[in-house]
Amino acid sequence: MHERPSADERAIIVQLDFGRDDLTEQLEEVRLLTRSAGAAVCAVVHGRRHSPDAATYAGKGKVQEVAAEVLAHEATLVIFNHELSPGQERNLERVLQCRVIDRTSLILDIFAQRAQSSEGKLQVELAQLEHLATRLVRGWTHLERQKGGIGLRGPGETQLETDRRLLGIRVKLLKERLLRVERQRGVQRQARGRGDLLNVSLVGYTNAGKSTLFNALTHAGVFAADQLFATLDTTTRKLWLPEAGHIVLSDTVGFIRDLPHTLVAAFHATLEATAEADLLLHVVDSASPARDEQVADVNKVLTEIGAAAVPQLLVLNKLDLSGLPPTVERDEYGTILRVRVSARCGDGLSLLREALAEMAMAKAQNKRHWALRADALQDIDMLSDSDGCA
């Protein structure tokens, strides 16, 4: 695995243009990702291509330009805001004479720094090892140094085979541990599901303000910062609404464009709680010029984890930045579509609480309706049985 960037690590970012419209947003996002990982951005190298170069992704001329920036700034790290193949990564490191990581490795590193719970650490390690499995090459590897291959090597095994075997053993162990955690979570969710409380999960693009909103509603004191992936571990609290009583509210990990599949798979135990919620509060940074694309990216991940069918309430956050007034928007049938709030300033939170209370009461009313219907059907069955006996 790559070393984590230290506080004084100097990084060069490489952002290539393949004809997408959101290039400015992509660049700002990778800058924030880099700072969130603990590195300083020394320079950004731009380029335009029709397709990636097979050997170095950026092409020979552009790589020489990157090499000049590395030398000029004495950089120790080059970050490609793209997905590099293992071969491209090795070729780039050979030419640039410093560490090269891609977008996936950068996100994995941030997750490794942010994970606090034992479950979160297991999930991140599993994702890192599965990513590392594609990057094992012949010769001395990081994994061998970490695990101590001497004395563990089987007869006739090459170093590569040993590393793969050790990695496979560790991955299997982590999956078994996470499976046990997943079963425990399932029991807890079933217990909550048997109750009458509305079960709400906050979802949204990373840094949209989910944790700030969660704290504003519940006073939970969850860590919130202007960082990507400030929250990894799910936090659940009860929220009292005067009109409807208690509901259950959960804060979850933020999503991002091209979220690594290894992370989605590793965090399955955490993310599946989202799929079993009664309602998703989809928090959106209303001040972001890329908000529509971010909403689409979140919905894409929700589909991957089986939560596409869960009802959503859009919460357009950060009104203090967009300058719009707080409000509740409904469709022609009176159904609530979105609520505009500022979690930081508190504007519109009363409207959001009223919307949640309305939905909680609708759930309770619907449950009473089906209970009465079940009782009526049972009475009909009893009458039919008695008629048959007569």
Side-chain angles (χ1 to χ4, degrees):
M1 276 171 276
H2 294 288
E3 299 169 7
R4 293 185 192 166
S6 60
D8 57 352
E9 186 144 18
R10 303 169 66 81
I12 305 295
I13 291 175
V14 180
Q15 174 70 64
L16 301 181
D17 180 6
F18 293 100
R20 287 184 54 162
D21 296 330
D22 58 344
L23 195 64
T24 303
E25 288 75 26
Q26 285 186 50
L27 183 56
E28 183 55 36
E29 186 173 272
V30 72
R31 283 181 180 273
L32 188 50
L33 280 169
T34 303
R35 291 197 297 270
S36 297
V41 179
C42 298
V44 178
V45 176
H46 300 272
R48 179 184 289 270
R49 291 187 65 88
H50 293 293
S51 60
D53 179 76
T56 61
Y57 198 89
K60 187 176 180 180
K62 190 58 62 177
V63 172
Q64 292 303 321
E65 184 181 336
V66 175
E69 293 289 351
V70 169
L71 192 63
H73 296 279
E74 298 181 348
T76 55
L77 179 68
V78 173
I79 300 171
F80 274 69
N81 192 27
H82 307 279
E83 188 80 18
L84 298 176
S85 71
Q88 289 167 338
E89 199 172 288
R90 291 194 297 273
N91 293 336
L92 286 165
E93 287 186 340
R94 192 178 300 119
V95 175
L96 299 175
Q97 292 297 296
C98 70
R99 286 182 303 115
V100 176
I101 64 173
D102 63 2
R103 179 184 173 84
T104 296
S105 295
L106 180 60
I107 293 173
L108 286 172
D109 189 275
I110 296 171
F111 268 60
Q113 294 183 51
R114 298 281 190 273
Q116 297 294 324
S117 69
S118 56
E119 179 190 357
K121 291 175 181 177
L122 287 174
Q123 290 170 323
V124 170
E125 185 182 355
L126 176 60
Q128 284 184 311
L129 289 178
E130 292 192 322
H131 182 64
L132 177 64
T134 65
R135 271 134 175 89
L136 285 181
V137 294
R138 295 191 178 278
W140 196 264
T141 64
H142 296 295
L143 181 68
E144 198 280 332
R145 286 202 295 273
Q146 291 172 2
K147 302 299 180 184
I150 296 174
L152 297 175
R153 207 167 303 163
E157 279 190 332
T158 66
Q159 184 62 57
L160 179 63
E161 289 166 342
T162 302
D163 288 347
R164 282 180 173 158
R165 180 168 58 82
L166 292 172
L167 187 146
I169 292 170
R170 182 63 180 167
V171 166
K172 182 180 178 183
L173 177 64
L174 290 173
K175 286 184 175 179
E176 289 172 351
R177 288 183 181 176
L178 284 171
L179 186 59
R180 288 197 293 271
V181 172
E182 194 170 337
R183 287 170 181 160
Q184 291 170 358
R185 279 185 177 274
V187 171
Q188 293 169 354
R189 280 196 302 275
Q190 285 176 2
R192 287 199 299 267
R194 285 192 287 268
D196 297 331
L197 303 186
L198 183 73
N199 187 6
V200 182
S201 281
L202 274 73
V203 299
Y205 207 79
T206 183
N207 209 36
K210 295 185 307 304
S211 295
T212 303
L213 179 62
F214 185 78
N215 287 336
L217 291 172
T218 67
H219 310 290
V222 170
F223 177 69
D226 187 20
Q227 296 176 332
L228 300 186
F229 305 115
T231 302
L232 287 190
D233 300 307
T234 299
T235 305
T236 300
R237 294 287 188 275
K238 282 186 178 179
L239 173 62
W240 171 258
L241 301 171
E243 305 89 343
H246 279 110
I247 67 171
V248 176
L249 193 64
S250 297
D251 186 24
T252 60
V253 63
F255 302 147
I256 198 168
R257 174 180 61 87
D258 300 329
L259 188 67
H261 290 291
T262 49
L263 274 176
V264 175
F267 275 73
H268 181 262
T270 301
L271 294 174
E272 72 172 4
T274 301
E276 297 184 7
D278 298 312
L279 175 69
L280 301 181
L281 283 190
H282 187 160
V283 184
V284 180
D285 180 355
S286 63
S288 171
R291 58 186 175 274
D292 293 337
E293 291 82 1
Q294 292 174 357
V295 168
D297 287 327
V298 170
N299 286 331
K300 181 180 176 182
V301 178
L302 290 174
T303 300
E304 286 184 42
I305 63 175
V310 181
Q312 286 189 27
L313 171 60
L314 276 182
V315 180
L316 301 178
N317 191 26
K318 304 189 181 181
L319 293 187
D320 50 304
L321 299 179
S322 64
L324 295 172
T327 186
V328 175
E329 298 180 19
R330 299 174 182 265
D331 63 14
E332 64 269 27
Y333 305 105
T335 303
I336 300 173
L337 294 178
R338 56 185 68 89
V339 182
R340 297 182 181 273
V341 306
S342 170
R344 189 172 68 87
C345 300
D347 296 337
L349 292 187
S350 59
L351 297 176
L352 179 57
R353 290 190 183 95
E354 290 170 8
L356 288 171
E358 184 177 321
M359 293 178 169
M361 289 187 289
K363 179 190 177 182
Q365 183 178 0
N366 189 51
K367 189 166 185 176
R368 284 195 297 271
H369 167 77
W370 286 106
L372 290 171
R373 178 171 177 149
D375 290 342
L377 290 173
Q378 189 175 13
D379 291 341
I380 292 171
D381 289 341
M382 290 176 66
L383 287 172
S384 300
D385 290 343
S386 61
D387 289 343
C389 292

